[in-house]
Amino acid sequence: MSASANRMRGGMAALPFIAPAALFFSVFVLWPIADSIWVSLHDWDGIHRMRWVGLGNYTELFGDDVFYTALVNNIWWLLSYMLAPVFGLAMALFLNQSIAGMRLYKSLFFFPFVISQVVVGLVFSWFFNGDFGLLNLGLHAIGLHGVSLLGNANWATPSVIVAGLWPQTAYCMILYLTGLTAVNGEIVEAARMDGARGWNMLWNIIIPQLRPATFIAVVVSVVGALRSFDLVSIMTKGGPYDSSAVLAYYMYEQTFLSFRYGYGAAIAVVLFAIMDIYIAIFLVIMLRQERR
């Protein structure tokens, strides 16, 4: 039997195993994406018949000031969330030591990951509150004036990002702690015998072996930054004056509060495209590094 016939038989044998996953992926991923693109080409309030507008929603979107504010805020979220893998690695290296009481420290650092985003939003809303927040109590204690960060158009977004970084860093830390268990001890020992220490050991020996964990941490952080919604909704509701809005929240606001389903779908499509482009660039960089 020829090699091509063997390959065809192997492909046919794998088909029943791939088909269920392919079906679920098509129904729950590809179909909603295609449907969102279709809805974005219509004017629809969710009740009456859809009216075809072509690229009208996109034309309006690219002339919308709030859209650009939300887009810039998303970029800030994205750049800030790239700190989460760095902080997570630093915390994982600290917690990976065998010293007394480390299990207690680990449980404390795991805490932000296990609580819901709603609770995180409420905690930081109280912390930043201009009247009774813990931040202002501390400032008053040292003789400084209090500030209302969430009520300030310039500080609302950075304050919400700080709240988001707290659980995101804990998540990256868990990924790196898992990755550290797979670091090859023989390679580390050989490097140590060759005189590698400190930063040299970390940069040339440990971090290259953590590449899979780094890949997952960065991708998850990118996705988390671009789909940031819950903290914005809880802490500022996009205010003051839409200054802290992000694309996901603006999409929700236009779709479910203003009943502009077509316009909301157009925002979703743009957000999806940004996410895909960023992850594609990152994948290309990672693949090039692995081929070297």
Side-chain angles (χ1 to χ4, degrees):
M1 187 177 291
S2 66
S4 60
N6 284 332
R7 282 198 297 271
M8 183 177 295
R9 174 176 286 186
M12 294 297 291
L15 191 59
F17 299 97
I18 298 174
L23 178 64
F24 274 95
F25 186 78
S26 301
V27 171
F28 294 108
V29 178
L30 297 182
W31 173 250
I33 292 172
D35 194 49
S36 295
I37 295 172
W38 176 251
V39 173
S40 72
L41 302 175
H42 294 78
D43 181 19
W44 188 35
D45 61 2
I47 299 174
H48 300 94
R49 288 175 63 86
M50 291 192 294
R51 184 172 63 87
W52 173 265
V53 294
L55 297 177
N57 284 324
Y58 294 96
T59 304
E60 181 182 346
L61 188 63
F62 293 128
D64 186 345
D65 292 338
V66 179
F67 167 71
Y68 289 107
T69 301
L71 182 61
V72 170
N73 286 339
N74 262 119
I75 293 172
W76 279 116
W77 273 83
L78 196 59
L79 296 175
S80 302
Y81 260 44
M82 290 301 98
L83 295 174
V86 179
F87 294 156
L89 175 61
M91 291 166 61
L93 291 171
F94 168 70
L95 294 174
N96 198 45
Q97 303 175 65
S98 299
I99 57 176
M102 190 52 73
R103 288 187 178 180
L104 174 62
Y105 298 144
K106 282 184 179 179
S107 62
L108 293 175
F109 280 100
F110 287 164
F111 178 70
F113 175 67
V114 299
I115 60 177
S116 77
Q117 292 279 306
V118 176
V119 176
V120 173
L122 288 174
V123 168
F124 275 87
S125 295
W126 294 333
F127 181 77
F128 290 131
N129 188 282
D131 297 323
F132 56 82
L134 190 60
L135 176 64
N136 278 345
L137 290 178
L139 291 175
H140 290 150
I142 58 176
L144 298 176
H145 293 291
V147 292
S148 178
L149 295 179
L150 298 180
N152 186 305
N154 295 322
W155 287 103
T157 293
S159 302
V160 181
I161 291 175
V162 168
L165 274 175
W166 191 43
Q168 189 66 29
T169 300
Y171 184 61
C172 293
M173 178 198 70
I174 293 171
L175 291 174
Y176 279 118
L177 276 175
T178 306
L180 285 170
T181 60
V183 169
N184 192 320
E186 294 180 357
I187 297 176
V188 174
E189 190 60 31
R192 188 173 288 126
M193 292 177 67
D194 287 340
R197 294 286 187 281
W199 174 255
N200 191 21
M201 170 74 81
L202 176 65
W203 184 255
N204 294 301
I205 305 299
I206 303 297
I207 289 181
Q209 296 188 68
L210 292 175
R211 188 168 294 160
T214 301
F215 173 76
I216 297 173
V218 171
V219 170
V220 169
S221 297
V222 169
V223 174
L226 292 178
R227 68 181 178 86
S228 52
F229 166 80
D230 33 20
L231 289 177
V232 174
S233 176
I234 294 164
M235 295 179 67
T236 64
K237 297 190 183 304
Y241 309 111
D242 295 319
S243 61
S244 64
V246 291
L247 290 177
Y249 184 81
Y250 192 44
M251 174 186 65
Y252 161 80
E253 188 181 63
Q254 290 296 313
T255 304
F256 298 107
L257 301 183
S258 301
F259 299 102
R260 301 188 66 195
Y261 283 73
Y263 197 66
I267 300 172
V269 171
V270 171
L271 183 58
F272 177 72
I274 294 171
M275 197 177 297
D276 278 357
I277 291 170
Y278 193 89
I279 292 176
I281 293 172
F282 184 72
L283 279 173
V284 170
I285 294 172
M286 288 290 293
L287 290 174
R288 284 181 178 174
Q289 289 179 347
E290 287 185 358
R291 287 173 182 169
R292 289 176 184 172

mmCIF file of all heavy atoms in Angstrom, residues 64 69 72 74 123 147 150-151 174 188 214 222 230 232 247 275 289:
data_model
loop_
_atom_site.group_PDB
_atom_site.id
_atom_site.type_symbol
_atom_site.label_atom_id
_atom_site.label_comp_id
_atom_site.label_asym_id
_atom_site.label_seq_id
_atom_site.Cartn_x
_atom_site.Cartn_y
_atom_site.Cartn_z
ATOM 1 N N ASP A 64 -16.480 58.383 16.494
ATOM 2 C CA ASP A 64 -17.027 58.482 17.851
ATOM 3 C C ASP A 64 -15.890 58.771 18.841
ATOM 4 O O ASP A 64 -14.965 57.966 18.993
ATOM 5 C CB ASP A 64 -17.723 57.157 18.196
ATOM 6 C CG ASP A 64 -18.452 57.217 19.526
ATOM 7 O OD1 ASP A 64 -18.204 58.156 20.304
ATOM 8 O OD2 ASP A 64 -19.277 56.319 19.782
ATOM 9 N N THR A 69 -11.566 57.172 23.190
ATOM 10 C CA THR A 69 -11.209 57.183 24.617
ATOM 11 C C THR A 69 -11.117 55.765 25.157
ATOM 12 O O THR A 69 -10.161 55.403 25.863
ATOM 13 C CB THR A 69 -12.269 57.976 25.413
ATOM 14 O OG1 THR A 69 -12.329 59.306 24.915
ATOM 15 C CG2 THR A 69 -11.922 57.991 26.885
ATOM 16 N N VAL A 72 -7.961 53.989 23.722
ATOM 17 C CA VAL A 72 -6.730 54.409 24.409
ATOM 18 C C VAL A 72 -6.651 53.778 25.798
ATOM 19 O O VAL A 72 -5.588 53.309 26.230
ATOM 20 C CB VAL A 72 -6.668 55.948 24.498
ATOM 21 C CG1 VAL A 72 -5.533 56.396 25.421
ATOM 22 C CG2 VAL A 72 -6.489 56.554 23.115
ATOM 23 N N ASN A 74 -7.978 50.968 26.680
ATOM 24 C CA ASN A 74 -7.644 49.554 26.491
ATOM 25 C C ASN A 74 -6.151 49.362 26.256
ATOM 26 O O ASN A 74 -5.550 48.378 26.721
ATOM 27 C CB ASN A 74 -8.419 48.970 25.314
ATOM 28 C CG ASN A 74 -9.656 48.220 25.763
ATOM 29 O OD1 ASN A 74 -10.760 48.582 25.411
ATOM 30 N ND2 ASN A 74 -9.480 47.183 26.578
ATOM 31 N N VAL A 123 -13.693 46.052 47.034
ATOM 32 C CA VAL A 123 -12.606 46.339 47.990
ATOM 33 C C VAL A 123 -11.844 47.588 47.566
ATOM 34 O O VAL A 123 -11.587 48.495 48.379
ATOM 35 C CB VAL A 123 -11.658 45.124 48.089
ATOM 36 C CG1 VAL A 123 -10.377 45.509 48.838
ATOM 37 C CG2 VAL A 123 -12.344 43.959 48.794
ATOM 38 N N VAL A 147 -7.769 62.634 48.370
ATOM 39 C CA VAL A 147 -8.048 62.690 46.932
ATOM 40 C C VAL A 147 -9.168 61.703 46.614
ATOM 41 O O VAL A 147 -9.357 60.704 47.303
ATOM 42 C CB VAL A 147 -6.804 62.340 46.090
ATOM 43 C CG1 VAL A 147 -5.745 63.402 46.212
ATOM 44 C CG2 VAL A 147 -6.250 60.982 46.504
ATOM 45 N N LEU A 150 -11.226 57.839 41.981
ATOM 46 C CA LEU A 150 -12.235 57.314 41.058
ATOM 47 C C LEU A 150 -13.139 58.413 40.516
ATOM 48 O O LEU A 150 -13.842 58.199 39.525
ATOM 49 C CB LEU A 150 -13.065 56.236 41.749
ATOM 50 C CG LEU A 150 -12.287 54.995 42.199
ATOM 51 C CD1 LEU A 150 -13.213 54.002 42.879
ATOM 52 C CD2 LEU A 150 -11.592 54.339 41.016
ATOM 53 N N GLY A 151 -13.148 59.583 41.160
ATOM 54 C CA GLY A 151 -13.950 60.700 40.672
ATOM 55 C C GLY A 151 -13.153 61.665 39.815
ATOM 56 O O GLY A 151 -13.674 62.684 39.371
ATOM 57 N N ILE A 174 0.900 31.858 39.967
ATOM 58 C CA ILE A 174 0.563 30.428 40.017
ATOM 59 C C ILE A 174 1.117 29.713 38.784
ATOM 60 O O ILE A 174 1.649 28.604 38.870
ATOM 61 C CB ILE A 174 -0.965 30.254 40.128
ATOM 62 C CG1 ILE A 174 -1.440 30.778 41.480
ATOM 63 C CG2 ILE A 174 -1.360 28.786 39.960
ATOM 64 C CD1 ILE A 174 -2.940 30.852 41.611
ATOM 65 N N VAL A 188 20.451 23.318 36.054
ATOM 66 C CA VAL A 188 20.722 24.369 37.046
ATOM 67 C C VAL A 188 22.010 24.064 37.801
ATOM 68 O O VAL A 188 22.854 24.952 38.025
ATOM 69 C CB VAL A 188 19.527 24.492 38.018
ATOM 70 C CG1 VAL A 188 19.850 25.465 39.147
ATOM 71 C CG2 VAL A 188 18.275 24.931 37.269
ATOM 72 N N THR A 214 5.572 31.489 30.463
ATOM 73 C CA THR A 214 5.556 32.892 30.049
ATOM 74 C C THR A 214 4.559 33.107 28.912
ATOM 75 O O THR A 214 3.814 34.097 28.895
ATOM 76 C CB THR A 214 6.960 33.328 29.592
ATOM 77 O OG1 THR A 214 7.871 33.139 30.672
ATOM 78 C CG2 THR A 214 6.976 34.782 29.163
ATOM 79 N N VAL A 222 -3.033 39.452 28.088
ATOM 80 C CA VAL A 222 -3.556 40.231 26.959
ATOM 81 C C VAL A 222 -5.068 40.097 26.874
ATOM 82 O O VAL A 222 -5.801 41.097 26.751
ATOM 83 C CB VAL A 222 -2.904 39.755 25.637
ATOM 84 C CG1 VAL A 222 -3.629 40.364 24.441
ATOM 85 C CG2 VAL A 222 -1.444 40.129 25.607
ATOM 86 N N ASP A 230 -15.708 43.931 34.139
ATOM 87 C CA ASP A 230 -16.349 43.885 35.445
ATOM 88 C C ASP A 230 -15.829 44.943 36.413
ATOM 89 O O ASP A 230 -16.625 45.598 37.102
ATOM 90 C CB ASP A 230 -16.226 42.485 36.060
ATOM 91 C CG ASP A 230 -14.938 41.794 35.664
ATOM 92 O OD1 ASP A 230 -14.002 42.505 35.246
ATOM 93 O OD2 ASP A 230 -14.867 40.563 35.775
ATOM 94 N N VAL A 232 -14.416 47.836 35.695
ATOM 95 C CA VAL A 232 -14.870 49.156 35.229
ATOM 96 C C VAL A 232 -16.333 49.362 35.592
ATOM 97 O O VAL A 232 -16.746 50.425 36.060
ATOM 98 C CB VAL A 232 -14.660 49.282 33.706
ATOM 99 C CG1 VAL A 232 -15.249 50.583 33.188
ATOM 100 C CG2 VAL A 232 -13.180 49.198 33.358
ATOM 101 N N LEU A 247 -13.411 49.278 25.738
ATOM 102 C CA LEU A 247 -14.241 48.824 24.622
ATOM 103 C C LEU A 247 -15.307 47.825 25.068
ATOM 104 O O LEU A 247 -16.448 47.872 24.588
ATOM 105 C CB LEU A 247 -13.351 48.199 23.545
ATOM 106 C CG LEU A 247 -12.471 49.189 22.780
ATOM 107 C CD1 LEU A 247 -11.584 48.445 21.779
ATOM 108 C CD2 LEU A 247 -13.321 50.221 22.046
ATOM 109 N N MET A 275 -7.549 41.986 19.441
ATOM 110 C CA MET A 275 -7.064 40.857 20.230
ATOM 111 C C MET A 275 -6.346 39.853 19.337
ATOM 112 O O MET A 275 -5.267 39.349 19.672
ATOM 113 C CB MET A 275 -8.246 40.187 20.941
ATOM 114 C CG MET A 275 -7.857 39.285 22.089
ATOM 115 S SD MET A 275 -9.281 38.591 22.921
ATOM 116 C CE MET A 275 -10.081 40.052 23.554
ATOM 117 N N GLN A 289 11.611 32.613 18.095
ATOM 118 C CA GLN A 289 12.566 32.361 19.173
ATOM 119 C C GLN A 289 12.806 30.868 19.363
ATOM 120 O O GLN A 289 13.920 30.433 19.641
ATOM 121 C CB GLN A 289 12.071 32.984 20.478
ATOM 122 C CG GLN A 289 12.140 34.509 20.481
ATOM 123 C CD GLN A 289 11.618 35.111 21.764
ATOM 124 O OE1 GLN A 289 10.976 34.424 22.560
ATOM 125 N NE2 GLN A 289 11.862 36.389 21.968
#
